[in-house]
């Protein structure tokens, strides 16, 4: 969880003293200060998964 932006992301790496986070399910990475990163709560993880499922195309 990036506490500066309120966004949930997966840590993809680090460079130059910052973490690179990417949204769950893919998307553009963003930089996050290490001191602004914290583990997501179970509720935050569930909310992100539900939001991702609601925005993906459905196949009938």
């Amino acid at each position: 969880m990036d506490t500066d932006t309120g966004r949930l992301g997966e840590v993809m790496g680090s460079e130059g003293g910052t973490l690179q986070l990417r949204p769950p399910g893919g998307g553009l990475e963003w930089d996050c200060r290490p001191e602004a990163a914290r583990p997501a709560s179970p509720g935050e993880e569930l909310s992100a998964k539900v939001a991702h499922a609601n925005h993906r195309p459905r196949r009938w």
Side-chain angles (χ1 to χ4, degrees):
M1 177 60 75
D2 180 347
T3 60
D4 285 341
T5 64
R7 295 172 65 190
L8 183 106
E10 298 177 60
V11 177
M12 303 309 294
S14 63
E15 188 173 317
T18 62
L19 300 173
Q20 281 80 48
L21 301 181
R22 182 170 40 197
L28 295 175
E29 293 181 7
W30 74 93
D31 290 337
C32 174
R33 298 179 306 119
E35 58 272 12
R38 64 164 176 81
S41 71
E44 290 166 332
E45 286 186 37
L46 180 60
S47 292
K49 289 177 183 177
V50 168
H52 176 69
N54 286 338
H55 287 97
R56 67 183 170 147
R58 292 195 174 128
R59 300 187 192 266
W60 301 101

